[in-house]
mmCIF file of all heavy atoms in Angstrom:
data_model
loop_
_atom_site.group_PDB
_atom_site.id
_atom_site.type_symbol
_atom_site.label_atom_id
_atom_site.label_comp_id
_atom_site.label_asym_id
_atom_site.label_seq_id
_atom_site.Cartn_x
_atom_site.Cartn_y
_atom_site.Cartn_z
ATOM 1 N N LEU A 151 127.247 241.439 180.419
ATOM 2 C CA LEU A 151 128.056 240.517 179.627
ATOM 3 C C LEU A 151 128.285 240.999 178.199
ATOM 4 O O LEU A 151 129.183 240.514 177.522
ATOM 5 C CB LEU A 151 127.427 239.123 179.635
ATOM 6 C CG LEU A 151 127.479 238.399 180.980
ATOM 7 C CD1 LEU A 151 126.767 237.057 180.896
ATOM 8 C CD2 LEU A 151 128.911 238.227 181.459
ATOM 9 N N SER A 152 127.500 241.970 177.744
ATOM 10 C CA SER A 152 127.705 242.523 176.404
ATOM 11 C C SER A 152 128.706 243.684 176.402
ATOM 12 O O SER A 152 129.054 244.193 175.347
ATOM 13 C CB SER A 152 126.368 243.006 175.828
ATOM 14 O OG SER A 152 125.928 244.163 176.509
ATOM 15 N N CYS A 153 129.195 244.072 177.558
ATOM 16 C CA CYS A 153 130.095 245.215 177.671
ATOM 17 C C CYS A 153 131.538 244.838 177.335
ATOM 18 O O CYS A 153 132.005 243.761 177.698
ATOM 19 C CB CYS A 153 130.046 245.791 179.083
ATOM 20 S SG CYS A 153 128.468 246.503 179.521
ATOM 21 N N TYR A 154 132.240 245.757 176.696
ATOM 22 C CA TYR A 154 133.651 245.579 176.366
ATOM 23 C C TYR A 154 134.473 245.492 177.648
ATOM 24 O O TYR A 154 134.294 246.290 178.567
ATOM 25 C CB TYR A 154 134.148 246.756 175.519
ATOM 26 C CG TYR A 154 135.642 246.751 175.330
ATOM 27 C CD1 TYR A 154 136.228 245.892 174.403
ATOM 28 C CD2 TYR A 154 136.459 247.577 176.081
ATOM 29 C CE1 TYR A 154 137.599 245.877 174.225
ATOM 30 C CE2 TYR A 154 137.830 247.565 175.921
ATOM 31 C CZ TYR A 154 138.400 246.716 174.987
ATOM 32 O OH TYR A 154 139.750 246.689 174.819
ATOM 33 N N GLY A 155 135.351 244.519 177.732
ATOM 34 C CA GLY A 155 136.274 244.397 178.845
ATOM 35 C C GLY A 155 135.767 243.584 180.012
ATOM 36 O O GLY A 155 136.512 243.336 180.956
ATOM 37 N N ILE A 156 134.515 243.158 179.981
ATOM 38 C CA ILE A 156 133.963 242.344 181.059
ATOM 39 C C ILE A 156 134.063 240.879 180.649
ATOM 40 O O ILE A 156 133.510 240.475 179.636
ATOM 41 C CB ILE A 156 132.490 242.713 181.350
ATOM 42 C CG1 ILE A 156 132.348 244.186 181.690
ATOM 43 C CG2 ILE A 156 131.925 241.812 182.445
ATOM 44 C CD1 ILE A 156 133.015 244.619 182.967
ATOM 45 N N SER A 157 134.777 240.092 181.430
ATOM 46 C CA SER A 157 134.957 238.670 181.105
ATOM 47 C C SER A 157 133.817 237.813 181.622
ATOM 48 O O SER A 157 133.314 236.953 180.918
ATOM 49 C CB SER A 157 136.259 238.148 181.702
ATOM 50 O OG SER A 157 137.347 238.839 181.166
ATOM 51 N N SER A 158 133.450 238.018 182.881
ATOM 52 C CA SER A 158 132.402 237.193 183.470
ATOM 53 C C SER A 158 131.847 237.864 184.718
ATOM 54 O O SER A 158 132.408 238.816 185.234
ATOM 55 C CB SER A 158 132.930 235.800 183.817
ATOM 56 O OG SER A 158 133.942 235.899 184.798
ATOM 57 N N ILE A 159 130.754 237.303 185.203
ATOM 58 C CA ILE A 159 130.159 237.737 186.464
ATOM 59 C C ILE A 159 130.762 236.875 187.563
ATOM 60 O O ILE A 159 131.004 235.683 187.366
ATOM 61 C CB ILE A 159 128.629 237.592 186.408
ATOM 62 C CG1 ILE A 159 128.065 238.537 185.346
ATOM 63 C CG2 ILE A 159 128.004 237.869 187.772
ATOM 64 C CD1 ILE A 159 126.585 238.390 185.111
ATOM 65 N N CYS A 160 131.006 237.478 188.710
ATOM 66 C CA CYS A 160 131.607 236.770 189.838
ATOM 67 C C CYS A 160 130.770 236.972 191.090
ATOM 68 O O CYS A 160 129.898 237.826 191.146
ATOM 69 C CB CYS A 160 133.009 237.327 190.117
ATOM 70 S SG CYS A 160 134.172 237.116 188.770
ATOM 71 N N THR A 161 131.084 236.187 192.087
ATOM 72 C CA THR A 161 130.525 236.427 193.417
ATOM 73 C C THR A 161 131.388 237.495 194.088
ATOM 74 O O THR A 161 132.447 237.861 193.574
ATOM 75 C CB THR A 161 130.542 235.142 194.263
ATOM 76 O OG1 THR A 161 131.896 234.722 194.422
ATOM 77 C CG2 THR A 161 129.731 234.043 193.605
ATOM 78 N N SER A 162 130.963 237.977 195.228
ATOM 79 C CA SER A 162 131.738 239.004 195.924
ATOM 80 C C SER A 162 133.098 238.482 196.376
ATOM 81 O O SER A 162 134.028 239.254 196.579
ATOM 82 C CB SER A 162 130.955 239.548 197.111
ATOM 83 O OG SER A 162 130.657 238.512 198.013
ATOM 84 N N SER A 163 133.237 237.175 196.496
ATOM 85 C CA SER A 163 134.521 236.575 196.872
ATOM 86 C C SER A 163 135.445 236.387 195.669
ATOM 87 O O SER A 163 136.602 236.027 195.835
ATOM 88 C CB SER A 163 134.302 235.240 197.571
ATOM 89 O OG SER A 163 133.675 234.332 196.694
ATOM 90 N N GLY A 164 134.937 236.593 194.457
ATOM 91 C CA GLY A 164 135.764 236.506 193.260
ATOM 92 C C GLY A 164 135.623 235.230 192.462
ATOM 93 O O GLY A 164 136.311 235.046 191.461
ATOM 94 N N ALA A 165 134.745 234.336 192.859
ATOM 95 C CA ALA A 165 134.550 233.082 192.117
ATOM 96 C C ALA A 165 133.680 233.331 190.888
ATOM 97 O O ALA A 165 132.635 233.964 190.989
ATOM 98 C CB ALA A 165 133.892 232.045 193.014
ATOM 99 N N ARG A 166 134.143 232.841 189.742
ATOM 100 C CA ARG A 166 133.361 232.981 188.509
ATOM 101 C C ARG A 166 132.082 232.168 188.602
ATOM 102 O O ARG A 166 132.094 231.045 189.106
ATOM 103 C CB ARG A 166 134.133 232.456 187.310
ATOM 104 C CG ARG A 166 135.190 233.324 186.809
ATOM 105 C CD ARG A 166 135.732 232.695 185.543
ATOM 106 N NE ARG A 166 136.988 233.306 185.174
ATOM 107 C CZ ARG A 166 137.718 232.897 184.167
ATOM 108 N NH1 ARG A 166 137.332 231.858 183.457
ATOM 109 N NH2 ARG A 166 138.836 233.501 183.882
ATOM 110 N N VAL A 167 130.991 232.738 188.068
ATOM 111 C CA VAL A 167 129.720 232.017 188.037
ATOM 112 C C VAL A 167 129.056 232.242 186.693
ATOM 113 O O VAL A 167 129.348 233.202 185.990
ATOM 114 C CB VAL A 167 128.774 232.461 189.184
ATOM 115 C CG1 VAL A 167 129.285 231.990 190.526
ATOM 116 C CG2 VAL A 167 128.588 233.961 189.180
ATOM 117 N N SER A 168 128.160 231.328 186.340
ATOM 118 C CA SER A 168 127.405 231.472 185.100
ATOM 119 C C SER A 168 126.019 230.874 185.290
ATOM 120 O O SER A 168 125.766 230.159 186.257
ATOM 121 C CB SER A 168 128.130 230.785 183.938
ATOM 122 O OG SER A 168 128.258 229.407 184.199
ATOM 123 N N GLY A 169 125.133 231.165 184.366
ATOM 124 C CA GLY A 169 123.783 230.612 184.422
ATOM 125 C C GLY A 169 122.986 231.144 185.593
ATOM 126 O O GLY A 169 122.985 232.334 185.882
ATOM 127 N N ASP A 170 122.290 230.235 186.279
ATOM 128 C CA ASP A 170 121.459 230.624 187.414
ATOM 129 C C ASP A 170 122.283 231.169 188.571
ATOM 130 O O ASP A 170 121.820 232.044 189.306
ATOM 131 C CB ASP A 170 120.617 229.448 187.906
ATOM 132 C CG ASP A 170 119.468 229.130 186.962
ATOM 133 O OD1 ASP A 170 119.071 230.030 186.178
ATOM 134 O OD2 ASP A 170 118.969 227.988 187.000
ATOM 135 N N LYS A 171 123.496 230.683 188.733
ATOM 136 C CA LYS A 171 124.345 231.200 189.808
ATOM 137 C C LYS A 171 124.751 232.643 189.533
ATOM 138 O O LYS A 171 124.908 233.433 190.463
ATOM 139 C CB LYS A 171 125.585 230.322 189.975
ATOM 140 C CG LYS A 171 125.265 228.965 190.563
ATOM 141 C CD LYS A 171 126.514 228.152 190.778
ATOM 142 C CE LYS A 171 126.157 226.791 191.357
ATOM 143 N NZ LYS A 171 127.328 225.968 191.588
ATOM 144 N N ALA A 172 124.901 233.005 188.256
ATOM 145 C CA ALA A 172 125.218 234.399 187.910
ATOM 146 C C ALA A 172 124.045 235.299 188.235
ATOM 147 O O ALA A 172 124.225 236.426 188.703
ATOM 148 C CB ALA A 172 125.588 234.510 186.435
ATOM 149 N N LEU A 173 122.829 234.811 187.996
ATOM 150 C CA LEU A 173 121.649 235.601 188.352
ATOM 151 C C LEU A 173 121.598 235.839 189.855
ATOM 152 O O LEU A 173 121.291 236.946 190.305
ATOM 153 C CB LEU A 173 120.366 234.899 187.899
ATOM 154 C CG LEU A 173 120.044 234.924 186.418
ATOM 155 C CD1 LEU A 173 118.766 234.144 186.144
ATOM 156 C CD2 LEU A 173 119.919 236.339 185.911
ATOM 157 N N LYS A 174 121.911 234.818 190.630
ATOM 158 C CA LYS A 174 121.884 234.954 192.089
ATOM 159 C C LYS A 174 123.012 235.851 192.587
ATOM 160 O O LYS A 174 122.898 236.439 193.662
ATOM 161 C CB LYS A 174 121.961 233.587 192.739
ATOM 162 C CG LYS A 174 120.712 232.761 192.529
ATOM 163 C CD LYS A 174 120.841 231.395 193.144
ATOM 164 C CE LYS A 174 119.605 230.563 192.815
ATOM 165 N NZ LYS A 174 119.722 229.189 193.305
ATOM 166 N N ALA A 175 124.105 235.949 191.831
ATOM 167 C CA ALA A 175 125.233 236.791 192.235
ATOM 168 C C ALA A 175 124.929 238.274 192.039
ATOM 169 O O ALA A 175 125.571 239.124 192.652
ATOM 170 C CB ALA A 175 126.477 236.406 191.442
ATOM 171 N N ILE A 176 123.966 238.596 191.200
ATOM 172 C CA ILE A 176 123.563 239.991 190.988
ATOM 173 C C ILE A 176 122.542 240.344 192.059
ATOM 174 O O ILE A 176 121.465 239.760 192.118
ATOM 175 C CB ILE A 176 122.981 240.192 189.577
ATOM 176 C CG1 ILE A 176 124.049 239.877 188.521
ATOM 177 C CG2 ILE A 176 122.442 241.601 189.417
ATOM 178 C CD1 ILE A 176 123.528 239.850 187.109
ATOM 179 N N THR A 177 122.888 241.299 192.902
ATOM 180 C CA THR A 177 122.026 241.694 194.008
ATOM 181 C C THR A 177 121.153 242.868 193.594
ATOM 182 O O THR A 177 121.649 243.858 193.045
ATOM 183 C CB THR A 177 122.875 242.100 195.225
ATOM 184 O OG1 THR A 177 123.780 241.046 195.523
ATOM 185 C CG2 THR A 177 122.005 242.392 196.431
ATOM 186 N N VAL A 178 119.859 242.739 193.859
ATOM 187 C CA VAL A 178 118.903 243.811 193.566
ATOM 188 C C VAL A 178 118.202 244.170 194.870
ATOM 189 O O VAL A 178 117.582 243.319 195.497
ATOM 190 C CB VAL A 178 117.866 243.377 192.507
ATOM 191 C CG1 VAL A 178 116.868 244.486 192.253
ATOM 192 C CG2 VAL A 178 118.561 242.964 191.223
ATOM 193 N N ASN A 179 118.335 245.429 195.280
ATOM 194 C CA ASN A 179 117.661 245.927 196.480
ATOM 195 C C ASN A 179 116.537 246.852 196.056
ATOM 196 O O ASN A 179 116.782 247.851 195.379
ATOM 197 C CB ASN A 179 118.632 246.669 197.393
ATOM 198 C CG ASN A 179 119.675 245.763 197.975
ATOM 199 O OD1 ASN A 179 119.466 244.568 198.091
ATOM 200 N ND2 ASN A 179 120.808 246.328 198.332
#
Side-chain angles (χ1 to χ4, degrees):
L151 291 177
S152 71
C153 294
Y154 171 78
I156 303 294
S157 298
S158 63
I159 296 175
C160 298
T161 61
S162 60
S163 62
R166 284 186 194 176
V167 290
S168 61
D170 286 338
K171 289 183 181 180
L173 285 178
K174 291 178 184 176
I176 298 172
T177 307
V178 178
N179 294 336

